[in-house]
Amino acid sequence: MDASVTLKKLAERFPGSIVETHSFRGDDTAIVKKEDIAAICTFLRDDEALHYNFMMDLTAVDYLGREPRFEVVYHLYSLKYNRRVRIKAGVSESDCTIDSIVSVWPSADWFEREVYDMYGVVFNGHPELRRILLYEGFEGHPLRKDYPLKKRQPLIGPIN
Amino acid sequence: MPETIRDLSTEQMVINMGPSHPVTHGTVKFLATLDGENIVDLKVDIGYLHRGFEKMCESGTWQQVIPYTDRLNYVSPLINNVGYALAVEKLIGIEVTERCKYIRVIASELARIADHLTNVAAGAMEVGAMTAFLYFVEARELVWDLIEALCGARVTANYVRIGGVKNDLPDDFAKRTHEVFKRCHELWADVDKLLTHNRIFIDRLRDVAPMTGEEAIALGFTGPCLRATGVPYDVRKAHPYLVYDRLDFEVPIGETGDNFDKYLVRMEELKQSMRIVEQALNRIPSGPVNLDMPKYRWQSKDDIYNRADSLIFHFKTVIDGIKPPVGEVYLAVEGGNGELGFYLVSDGSGKPYKCRVRPPCFPLTAAMPRMMKGRLIADIVPTFDMINMIGGECDR
Amino acid sequence: MFADMIESVAKILFIFTVNLGFFAPILGWVERKQSALMQDRIGANRADVGGFTIIGLFHPISDAIKVIMKEDFIPAGAEKLLHTLAPAISLIPAIITFAVVPFGGQYELFGHHVNLVIADLDVGILYVFAFSGLATYGVVLAGWASRNNWSLIGGLRASAQMLSYEVAMGLTVIGVMMVYGTLKLTEIGAMQESLFHWGVFLQPLGFILFFTCAVAENKRAPFDMPEAESELVAGYFTEYSSFKFVMFWMGEFLEIVTIAGLVTTLFFGAWHIPFVSDSALVSFFHFAGPNGAAVLAMLVNITTFFVKVCFFIWLQMTIRWTLPRFRYDQVMKLCWKMILPLSLVNILITGLVLLNG
């Protein structure tokens, strides 16, 4: 199938860092090691046969009780070949960091801040990693599965 | 005269634009550092409308997410409905009936018309053309009348269900749509006369916040703002969902990506959307609008009240929720502002494990400092309007 | 002596009644009603007394009651004195500018010479400029004294814009002065008895430029930079409430009337009806006797004048509700790069024509 070209190329280029690939419902997915995320993203963007010029979405999922606990999910789109791919990288709770890809796609800037805000995943090399949707002084990261639904936040004073 | 300028002790003024300021409709804060009227630095602060959409979704069943999606982009709620329902259907692996596809296209395009009308109207009002604003508000009211006829609500319209839609089209819908569109075309022509060739309007919007296609792609632009830069990316053409591949419409593109191009693209898209609705109404086949799959779509009230199996299925799907297989999907539709993506993760239970929305105006808002640095404070007004930041969608 | 005093008092009272008592409140209603008509709305029609709305005419009254009842708010840290003084400084020039605008000709009534202008100054036009220049202070002080960044920006914009347009406006009128050879507004009015001597035919460019400058001077859309509500909240009067706010608002409406009056006087034949000379008018009313004829002619002239004024008020309102707002730099460019050179050209052409003619 045309769509799995990406996965094939990725497996050729980064044989050691692809943990798993699948194409559930036609969505090509590659689970990669987080150490190589920036290199993989650069490759996906720059390779002539792939040319993933859009970083459409960046989010994370909390699989509580699994190791690694978090998965940072990137959705890429290639305008030239009209292809999509999903890249996932596992991030463990003990070392909750991953390399930032702002230098690859500037659009990742706010998306990474949002993931940091909601899940507490730290993006190394992000130019300005601070909370975005929530306020400074918010306790915890609300989209983690162990964040209670009805938890109340302390009152905060004015912030300058 | 550099010495004079140096000797003048001027200082930069930091000014808070928002969160409640006439220009920040979506509740957003700009922290602008001004040198006179010039913007030296701009910081954008969002999150004032954050309601914890994803957390709410994870705590309800799959069907209970639908009302939340209305409140994402509250200017075009039906597109969000359609996007979410399509994503869940992709996750389950089902396809809705032919008639339902057409109805969803009609609903999406009506929502898009309402969105673009609001956006262009607000843009005109922001630069002081109040009359053009009210002309388009009239048109939007008429389109809302149609949406009301579809689903009973005008603003937080909630129409699409997983596996179908809430109800079939009303009987006289085609006739009413035709009448409304006739008036909309007249109003469109009026606004076109008032704005498109208006020297002041052109001066305000032309060459403000221009952008090249590559840069816009790198910044994650989609939708009218991307097309204004000359990149013809439209999800409806790139990944045709529903029946968009069978309908005849064009994707307008601009050249420079400045605010005036964004305005022109939206004006043309209004016409194209009306064309799509008219075609869809002409070609719509008859037949059921809901899938006959009681595990995913409730059956009619009549069946539920009178048949034991239907009642059991209804009870199960309401109490436990529908149960898609384990897996994850990403599905994008063309929203009012661009690619509206839904990333759903299912663990096989009745509740979404993860329900992520890719908000199209999120990267657009993020690009505000890039577009505004070095420009005049008055340029924030049309630029911010033309990216059409919708708080409900951006902050979720 | 005594008759002169009665005459002056009567004229002042008349202008006060017409301007402050009629135009100022009614223009708010006109503005709403006209914008409603233009925008396919029903418009102001909610205020009713005993079920009668009389096309919304109770609105000015309810507005007045509302604003007087509101809290008179002075923000913390504001310059109290100037904050209070500023609205007055901007309203008073708007009221007294009309003193030199003639609203009728000269008549012989009961052996008494009646000149229908409050102050027939030799430097009429200069007086107008002097006082519209003073109005700038009100706006700037309001912006500064409010201790609000938006107000400050609004005030700064206002000062730059009003001063620039003052210059341009002065130059546009020079053509008119050259043609009629006087600064006295009554004389300029009197000379436009024949339709072919109307300023708009002798100075067509001058009219367009003057009208543009006058609207810009009054800070109304499309020149409402100082108060541009989508950028500066409400500009220099962001921090004003209650009656002080109304004073700004009344000042703006009175200035509309003054502009309309000036345009009528300078370019549109003042109180004259086209093709009807003053003597023809008096002889038309000869049946009423000499005094009666003079009174009737006076009434006709005053009516003519105010009909024209109403037309220009309407024109300003139509412009206000049709055009979008300029950007600040564009307003300044328009003034210094378009209007100013054009008015200089206008003076040059007028001079050449006058020399050869």
Side-chain angles (χ1 to χ4, degrees):
Chain A
M1 215 176 106
D2 173 57
S4 49
V5 169
T6 314
L7 299 182
K8 239 183 257 166
K9 284 214 97 171
L10 264 182
E12 280 167 24
R13 179 75 171 72
F14 297 95
S17 37
I18 307 294
V19 178
E20 188 197 322
T21 62
H22 67 74
S23 295
F24 180 73
R25 304 275 184 237
D27 288 4
D28 288 345
T29 308
I31 303 173
V32 304
K33 286 186 182 151
K34 72 168 186 177
E35 290 78 20
D36 301 321
I37 190 70
I40 289 172
C41 285
T42 316
F43 168 73
L44 287 170
R45 184 193 65 180
D46 293 339
D47 190 89
E48 273 309 307
L50 299 173
H51 204 74
Y52 282 96
N53 47 357
F54 274 97
M55 206 290 301
M56 275 301 178
D57 193 17
L58 194 165
T59 185
V61 189
D62 176 12
Y63 294 101
L64 187 61
R66 223 163 81 176
E67 191 55 41
R69 177 175 167 183
F70 299 104
E71 247 175 18
V72 179
V73 187
Y74 305 80
H75 285 97
L76 312 179
Y77 172 64
S78 155
L79 183 68
K80 195 169 166 193
Y81 300 105
N82 198 18
R83 257 188 231 141
R84 284 174 193 276
V85 70
R86 178 187 305 133
I87 306 292
K88 303 205 287 185
V91 176
S92 65
E93 197 181 358
S94 51
D95 177 24
C96 204
T97 59
I98 189 168
D99 286 340
S100 167
I101 57 158
V102 175
S103 52
V104 188
W105 291 288
S107 57
D109 183 350
W110 275 22
F111 286 110
E112 287 184 351
R113 276 176 68 187
E114 192 190 334
V115 170
Y116 164 73
D117 195 356
M118 295 295 163
Y119 291 93
V121 178
V122 175
F123 288 84
N124 299 324
H126 189 281
E128 194 191 8
L129 197 67
R130 55 188 177 92
R131 288 192 181 269
I132 180 165
L133 293 178
L134 302 172
Y135 47 90
E136 305 291 328
F138 188 93
E139 287 177 3
H141 299 282
L143 280 185
R144 289 188 172 191
K145 289 283 178 187
D146 53 4
Y147 184 93
L149 198 61
K150 291 190 174 164
K151 182 179 171 184
R152 299 193 60 101
Q153 288 287 328
L155 284 176
I156 55 157
I159 293 173
N160 274 321
Chain B
M1 299 216 303
E3 304 90 44
T4 330
I5 290 169
R6 203 183 51 228
D7 290 346
L8 271 172
S9 88
T10 57
E11 48 185 282
Q12 293 178 343
M13 177 156 81
V14 178
I15 200 161
N16 237 341
M17 228 172 171
S20 70
H21 179 278
V23 73
T24 56
H25 348 238
T27 333
V28 57
K29 189 174 92 177
F30 296 118
L31 200 64
T33 311
L34 298 180
D35 176 18
E37 292 259 339
N38 294 305
I39 300 167
V40 180
D41 193 19
L42 187 76
K43 279 210 169 80
V44 188
D45 208 354
I46 61 165
Y48 292 91
L49 229 53
H50 181 64
R51 299 144 313 198
F53 170 80
E54 286 184 40
K55 197 73 177 174
M56 284 196 292
C57 292
E58 286 168 19
S59 61
T61 62
W62 289 94
Q63 300 104 313
Q64 282 174 335
V65 173
I66 290 179
Y68 298 142
T69 63
D70 308 340
R71 277 98 174 146
L72 285 172
N73 184 339
Y74 37 72
V75 187
S76 52
L78 290 174
I79 303 182
N80 308 331
N81 279 187
V82 171
Y84 175 72
L86 282 173
V88 178
E89 283 154 15
K90 183 177 174 186
L91 187 61
I92 302 171
I94 52 175
E95 208 166 286
V96 288
T97 63
E98 202 61 3
R99 184 175 174 82
C100 179
K101 286 182 183 171
Y102 277 94
I103 292 178
R104 284 182 178 182
V105 165
I106 292 166
S108 300
E109 293 309 311
L110 285 178
R112 191 184 321 283
I113 293 169
D115 175 272
H116 286 4
L117 285 173
T118 315
N119 179 248
V120 172
M125 179 192 64
E126 298 282 277
V127 297
M130 195 71 186
T131 304
F133 165 73
L134 282 156
Y135 283 174
F136 263 2
V137 165
E138 184 192 340
R140 187 183 70 173
E141 288 296 317
L142 294 171
V143 174
W144 276 358
D145 282 347
L146 292 179
I147 292 174
E148 190 183 9
L150 269 187
C151 62
R154 295 170 75 81
V155 182
T156 49
N158 183 336
Y159 182 52
V160 182
R161 298 287 181 274
I162 298 161
V165 289
K166 182 173 144 275
N167 51 266
D168 204 344
L169 293 179
D171 290 338
D172 58 344
F173 191 74
K175 196 172 131 264
R176 284 186 66 179
T177 311
H178 191 67
E179 282 162 15
V180 164
F181 280 4
K182 209 175 137 211
R183 179 71 185 139
C184 284
H185 277 294
E186 286 169 23
L187 290 164
W188 188 95
D190 281 346
V191 172
D192 189 50
K193 266 184 253 165
L194 273 174
L195 297 180
T196 309
H197 301 293
N198 184 327
R199 180 68 193 276
I200 301 175
F201 190 72
I202 296 173
D203 281 353
R204 280 302 297 273
L205 269 65
R206 247 300 163 236
D207 295 326
V208 178
M211 191 161 283
T212 61
E214 291 86 56
E215 198 180 359
I217 289 173
L219 287 169
F221 278 34
T222 47
C225 293
L226 176 69
R227 292 193 281 276
T229 65
V231 181
Y233 171 65
D234 187 319
V235 185
R236 292 173 296 174
K237 290 279 189 196
H239 304 279
Y241 51 99
L242 297 170
V243 291
Y244 279 112
D245 48 346
R246 283 178 250 167
L247 298 167
D248 180 27
F249 66 100
E250 268 139 45
V251 176
I253 56 167
E255 280 172 8
T256 58
D258 61 10
N259 287 336
F260 196 64
D261 275 359
K262 289 174 195 158
Y263 158 80
L264 289 177
V265 164
R266 285 212 171 84
M267 284 295 269
E268 185 54 36
E269 275 184 20
L270 277 172
K271 287 198 131 174
Q272 297 297 335
S273 289
M274 288 197 251
R275 225 175 114 197
I276 294 173
V277 174
E278 272 161 1
Q279 287 176 42
L281 281 171
N282 284 336
R283 294 186 198 169
I284 187 166
S286 53
V289 292
N290 287 318
L291 283 176
D292 188 21
M293 283 187 165
K295 268 169 88 178
Y296 300 118
R297 176 76 186 116
W298 305 342
Q299 288 176 303
S300 70
K301 275 270 149 54
D302 202 33
D303 281 344
I304 293 166
Y305 288 149
N306 295 312
R307 287 173 48 189
D309 55 338
S310 295
L311 181 66
I312 294 166
F313 275 125
H314 181 256
F315 179 80
K316 289 289 279 179
T317 48
V318 169
I319 300 299
D320 293 347
I322 59 170
K323 289 187 175 148
V326 181
E328 52 186 340
V329 292
Y330 177 85
L331 185 127
V333 293
E334 181 71 20
N337 292 331
E339 172 164 328
L340 178 76
F342 282 89
Y343 172 57
L344 306 177
V345 179
S346 164
D347 59 351
S349 72
K351 291 177 178 178
Y353 191 74
K354 161 93 183 169
C355 175
R356 154 81 182 170
V357 184
R358 189 251 177 214
C361 63
F362 193 70
L364 294 173
T365 314
M368 272 301 281
R370 145 73 188 77
M371 294 192 280
M372 280 298 94
K373 260 179 208 167
R375 300 213 60 102
L376 293 170
I377 190 167
D379 285 333
I380 290 183
V381 177
T383 311
F384 184 64
D385 185 82
M386 282 298 156
I387 65 168
N388 197 12
M389 184 265 202
I390 308 287
E393 179 184 80
C394 192
D395 298 349
R396 283 154 294 142
Chain C
M1 190 58 215
F2 188 59
D4 282 346
M5 212 142 93
I6 290 180
E7 185 201 330
S8 295
V9 169
K11 284 190 292 198
I12 292 170
L13 275 181
F14 175 73
I15 287 300
F16 251 70
T17 324
V18 169
N19 273 3
L20 280 173
F22 177 72
F23 274 125
I26 212 80
L27 280 185
W29 173 81
V30 171
E31 177 123 56
R32 287 185 193 186
K33 209 68 189 172
Q34 188 177 347
S35 61
L37 281 174
M38 289 174 70
Q39 294 164 350
D40 299 345
R41 292 187 284 118
I42 303 166
N45 65 348
R46 292 291 111 170
D48 68 289
V49 174
F52 293 98
T53 58
I54 46 168
I55 52 171
L57 274 173
F58 289 118
H59 273 269
I61 301 167
S62 59
D63 279 349
I65 296 171
K66 183 190 81 175
V67 294
I68 292 170
M69 301 296 226
K70 280 203 168 181
E71 184 195 351
D72 184 12
F73 178 75
I74 297 176
E79 196 74 27
K80 242 183 186 172
L81 178 69
L82 290 177
H83 187 268
T84 314
L85 210 57
I89 297 177
S90 83
L91 176 62
I92 290 169
I95 298 176
I96 55 182
T97 319
F98 212 87
V100 291
V101 179
F103 49 95
Q106 313 199 2
Y107 311 89
E108 290 299 329
L109 265 185
F110 307 106
H112 182 75
H113 183 77
V114 176
N115 188 1
L116 282 188
V117 61
I118 294 174
D120 192 10
L121 297 182
D122 289 336
V123 289
I125 294 180
L126 292 184
Y127 172 89
V128 172
F129 289 141
F131 275 98
S132 60
L134 273 184
T136 317
Y137 282 102
V139 174
V140 176
L141 287 177
W144 182 75
S146 296
R147 196 164 185 260
N148 175 322
N149 285 348
W150 300 114
S151 303
L152 185 61
I153 297 180
L156 289 175
R157 280 184 178 189
S159 61
Q161 179 184 336
M162 289 170 86
L163 291 176
S164 309
Y165 276 89
E166 193 95 343
V167 174
M169 191 156 89
L171 286 173
T172 52
V173 182
I174 288 183
V176 181
M177 297 178 195
M178 287 162 80
V179 170
Y180 296 114
T182 175
L183 291 179
K184 225 175 176 178
L185 286 168
T186 45
E187 281 178 16
I188 293 175
M191 281 183 211
Q192 301 185 41
E193 193 165 347
S194 154
L195 181 66
F196 305 106
H197 291 149
W198 280 19
V200 67
F201 297 115
L202 302 176
Q203 286 283 316
L205 186 61
F207 161 64
I208 294 167
L209 296 177
F210 177 80
F211 193 59
T212 315
C213 288
V215 175
E217 176 81 14
N218 191 16
K219 314 177 290 295
R220 273 174 73 81
F223 301 99
D224 56 347
M225 291 307 102
E227 45 177 287
E229 80 274 351
S230 58
E231 299 148 32
L232 304 186
V233 190
Y236 58 91
F237 56 69
T238 308
E239 297 290 356
Y240 280 90
S241 64
S242 185
F243 208 74
K244 287 187 205 152
F245 172 76
V246 177
M247 281 161 91
F248 281 119
W249 184 75
M250 266 171 38
E252 182 181 316
F253 281 142
L254 288 180
E255 210 143 304
I256 295 175
V257 182
T258 311
I259 290 165
L262 275 175
V263 169
T264 308
T265 310
L266 291 174
F267 298 99
F268 281 85
W271 57 87
H272 299 290
I273 308 172
F275 303 116
V276 181
S277 65
D278 280 355
S279 50
L281 199 62
V282 175
S283 57
F284 180 77
F285 291 119
H286 70 277
F287 57 83
N291 284 330
V295 169
L296 286 172
M298 191 159 98
L299 290 177
V300 169
N301 284 338
I302 293 174
T303 316
T304 314
F305 177 78
F306 279 107
V307 166
K308 288 175 183 173
V309 166
C310 288
F311 172 78
F312 284 104
I313 290 171
W314 169 83
L315 188 62
Q316 289 181 61
M317 298 253 173
T318 310
I319 293 171
R320 160 79 178 84
W321 290 104
T322 309
L323 293 179
R325 181 181 306 121
F326 281 103
R327 202 170 59 206
Y328 177 64
D329 59 326
Q330 290 163 351
V331 169
M332 299 310 265
K333 259 182 214 152
L334 181 77
C335 177
W336 293 105
K337 292 193 177 165
M338 295 284 294
I339 294 180
L340 198 74
L342 275 177
S343 56
L344 290 172
V345 169
N346 187 41
I347 293 170
L348 189 72
I349 296 173
T350 312
L352 288 177
V353 171
L354 283 180
L355 268 182
N356 294 331

